[in-house]
Amino acid sequence: MPTTDAEIERVRELVATIPPGRVATYGDIAAAAGLSTPRTVGWIMRTDAADLPWHRVLRANGTPAPHLNHRQLRLLAEEGCPVRGDRVDLAVARHRFESPGGTT
């Protein structure tokens, strides 16, 4: 199923709301955007995220993509994000998106 312009914009909006020092996973964003798979978020991030805080989006285990590992973890640490070894402490740094009803 092709990704719509509205889905792309929704993902972009969500990523833009992640504050400094906080992170979200591809799955968190997919759920908040109503997408069926985190892979769609990954595709959008690869193709249309240069102007977004892309470094605040991680894999489900709190690690960055291997090819971005050092750069992404450095950027997150500079923002005060709790980095433990090769991953972010999601229990501390995970951003919760508000649902349309106003709850998380």
Side-chain angles (χ1 to χ4, degrees):
M1 172 182 269
T3 305
T4 67
D5 288 345
E7 291 169 332
I8 292 169
E9 286 310 308
R10 179 65 178 141
V11 167
R12 289 178 50 76
E13 289 169 4
L14 289 166
V15 172
T17 68
I18 304 169
R22 307 289 287 186
V23 297
T25 68
Y26 294 98
D28 295 338
I29 296 166
L35 300 173
S36 61
T37 177
R39 291 180 186 271
T40 303
V41 176
W43 175 83
I44 293 167
M45 294 300 293
R46 272 193 316 277
T47 60
D48 192 24
D51 61 333
L52 296 172
W54 59 267
H55 60 285
R56 298 179 189 148
V57 181
L58 300 167
R59 298 188 292 180
N61 65 359
T63 61
H67 68 286
L68 297 170
N69 189 25
H70 297 294
R71 181 175 177 209
Q72 192 167 4
L73 291 176
R74 178 182 50 79
L75 290 170
L76 290 168
E78 287 173 1
E79 291 184 350
C81 194
V83 175
R84 309 281 183 255
D86 66 345
R87 69 189 65 230
V88 169
D89 185 346
L90 290 176
V92 175
R94 186 178 238 148
H95 175 69
R96 303 286 181 192
F97 296 103
E98 283 198 24
S99 67
T103 60
T104 56

